[in-house]
Amino acid sequence: MHSSRKPALTFIFITLLIDVIGLGIIIPIMPDLIIELAHLDANASGSLSYASKMGAWLLFAYAFIQFLCAPVIGALSDNYGRRPVLLGSLMGFTIDYLFLSFAPNITWLFVGRVVAGIMGASFTTGGAYIADISAPEERAKNFGLIGAAFGLGFIIGPVLGGFLGSIGLRVPFMVSAGLTFLNFLFGLFVLPESLKPENRRKFEWKRANPIGTLLSLKRYPLIIGLMGSLTFLYIAAHAVQSNWPYYTKEKFGWELKEVGISLAVVGLAFAIIQGALIRVIIPKLGQLRSVNAGMTLYTLSFVLYAFASQGWMMYGIIVIYCLGSIAMTGIQGIMSGIVEPNAQGELQGGFTSLMSLTAIIGPLLMNYVFSYFVSAESPVYFPGAAMMLGAVLTLVSFVLIRVTLKKRMAN
């Protein structure tokens, strides 16, 4: 295993990178692709409203299926090993991209997203693979590959999607299918199994429970309170994550390249702040002040997004929005200090489960709000309505955080 450790880590990094690039590629293209498959006039009133709602259901299909299947796939990898699950994940994504490349109607887009949701366990299994092959003193460094892949992929993906999409709406998916299949072949011939037979466990349905981790944290009342506040914050984030291409297209007339570049700027800003500035800000302000400052910046950025009158303003607001992410780091630090050392993995699993749950709710809520307020049925035309809802939910989250932490200090 030691001789093949470096190629294996390279494979894991490439796998995760391609997964995130594939996700980033889809975001700027989806509005135009839905309009094309629905045979709508791109310039007609109501087309973007329809695309927004359908895009939300596509995100729902992927997130819901992944929420149900990720614990099952993870448990299967504990039984049969990481290699077959990772290779199956890559083949599943290849099939998904082929569906997106040649889908004759919207129904086939849903089929592709369901396939991707079932097989999309690469981050979970990739993390388990890294843990299997890493010495204790190297584990933290090697886990950094996951964050690096996510950051780099979300910079490359939207730009690639924007530029390739201007050639043809299906071209980015064809490129993604080709890259994913090449990675599958690379893994087929290079990737060794990391999980030793003596470390495997029998598959049990009761341990493949998508909400079990969240329920297991109920013995920590403060954690439950903070998880409740994070629920509102994670849902609020979908005003940007799920709604961005529709909002910028409707309000500023942005094309694929502009949407792609703007999302790459978001990825780059997050990478700089989380990778470098956070190491200065958190120690200087402390966790509690970082949370207060970050939540204030988050709320302000949503309001500014909602009322921005020129496209160039969005780039300045992106910096404020990304600086708000210091709140998340501060909250995670506070929560990690509450639970015992042997429950840290359980806490991280709780974060993942909560993000999955809110990824089911958030896109539908935000995109439907956007769709209504740009439609003829709305009493007022307000494309920024979802952004304002994001500000309100962030403010609710902030209040809950303050109340919960006040109880902690009282105890």
Side-chain angles (χ1 to χ4, degrees):
M1 172 62 70
H2 179 75
S3 62
S4 58
R5 187 172 293 169
K6 189 171 181 180
L9 283 172
T10 301
F11 171 82
I12 295 296
F13 176 76
I14 293 173
T15 298
L16 302 182
L17 178 63
I18 289 176
D19 281 1
V20 181
I21 287 174
L23 175 64
I25 278 177
I26 291 173
I27 296 173
I29 294 170
M30 197 54 72
D32 290 335
L33 182 60
I34 293 171
I35 288 171
E36 179 186 277
L37 290 178
H39 307 292
L40 300 174
D41 181 354
N43 298 316
S45 174
S47 294
L48 200 58
S49 174
Y50 172 86
S52 173
K53 290 188 284 189
M54 198 56 61
W57 282 109
L58 286 166
L59 289 170
F60 169 86
Y62 175 77
F64 181 69
I65 296 298
Q66 188 176 55
F67 174 70
L68 294 178
C69 294
V72 176
I73 298 297
L76 288 173
S77 80
D78 286 338
N79 187 4
Y80 297 105
R82 319 299 185 201
R83 174 183 156 88
V85 172
L86 281 167
L87 293 178
S89 175
L90 287 169
M91 184 53 67
F93 272 113
T94 301
I95 293 170
D96 172 42
Y97 290 133
L98 289 174
F99 273 124
L100 293 171
S101 299
F102 300 105
N105 53 53
I106 291 175
T107 301
W108 286 101
L109 291 185
F110 279 97
V111 173
R113 291 283 79 192
V114 168
V115 171
I118 293 171
M119 304 305 296
S122 54
F123 269 83
T124 301
T125 312
Y129 193 104
I130 290 172
D132 291 341
I133 67 173
S134 301
E137 65 273 13
E138 295 180 343
R139 195 163 288 163
K141 179 183 70 176
N142 290 341
F143 270 122
L145 290 173
I146 297 177
F150 190 89
L152 186 59
F154 207 77
I155 294 169
I156 296 172
V159 173
L160 194 62
F163 279 87
L164 291 178
S166 63
I167 299 172
L169 287 178
R170 309 302 182 99
V171 173
F173 302 120
M174 295 176 186
V175 171
S176 295
L179 288 174
T180 306
F181 185 67
L182 287 174
N183 199 28
F184 168 80
L185 294 176
F186 176 49
L188 189 64
F189 294 109
V190 172
L191 186 70
E193 179 53 62
S194 64
L195 188 63
K196 297 176 182 178
E198 61 268 25
N199 292 331
R200 300 186 185 191
R201 67 174 177 87
K202 187 178 179 181
F203 178 85
E204 297 176 87
W205 280 107
K206 66 181 180 180
R207 296 186 68 175
N209 183 350
I211 61 173
T213 305
L214 281 173
L215 292 176
S216 69
L217 293 170
K218 64 184 179 181
R219 65 185 184 275
Y220 303 104
L222 291 175
I223 293 294
I224 293 299
L226 290 173
M227 283 287 190
S229 68
L230 287 178
T231 300
F232 289 96
L233 187 58
Y234 285 160
I235 292 174
H238 282 278
V240 174
Q241 294 173 13
S242 303
N243 191 44
W244 187 271
Y246 305 98
Y247 175 63
T248 53
K249 190 177 180 68
E250 171 72 22
K251 191 163 187 179
F252 308 116
W254 280 7
E255 299 297 334
L256 291 175
K257 288 182 182 179
E258 293 166 302
V259 174
I261 290 171
S262 67
L263 288 170
V265 171
V266 173
L268 182 60
F270 266 119
I272 292 172
I273 290 164
Q274 290 293 317
L277 295 183
I278 207 79
R279 301 173 188 272
V280 178
I281 296 171
I282 297 288
K284 182 157 290 209
L285 294 180
Q287 290 178 340
L288 187 57
R289 287 182 181 174
S290 296
V291 171
N292 292 339
M295 295 299 286
T296 302
L297 291 172
Y298 263 147
T299 305
L300 175 63
S301 64
F302 279 121
V303 175
L304 292 175
Y305 277 143
F307 291 100
S309 58
Q310 301 291 328
W312 61 265
M313 295 178 181
M314 300 295 279
Y315 288 94
I317 303 169
I318 283 171
V319 176
I320 300 172
Y321 177 76
C322 293
L323 277 171
S325 66
I326 64 173
M328 280 302 310
T329 308
I331 293 168
Q332 288 181 342
I334 291 170
M335 293 172 77
S336 295
I338 294 172
V339 304
E340 298 91 348
N342 63 1
Q344 294 296 325
E346 190 174 42
L347 176 62
Q348 298 306 315
F351 282 130
T352 303
S353 297
L354 185 62
M355 290 180 73
S356 298
L357 275 172
T358 54
I360 295 170
I361 301 167
L364 285 174
L365 176 62
M366 294 304 177
N367 285 27
Y368 264 76
V369 167
F370 166 81
S371 176
Y372 175 74
F373 279 95
V374 298
S375 69
E377 289 79 21
S378 173
V380 59
Y381 174 78
F382 185 31
M387 298 294 187
M388 279 304 297
L389 178 56
V392 171
L393 292 176
T394 303
L395 199 56
V396 171
S397 176
F398 194 11
V399 170
L400 288 174
I401 289 170
R402 296 283 296 178
V403 170
T404 303
L405 294 181
K406 190 174 181 179
K407 289 180 182 177
R408 182 194 182 196
M409 288 185 284
N411 295 332

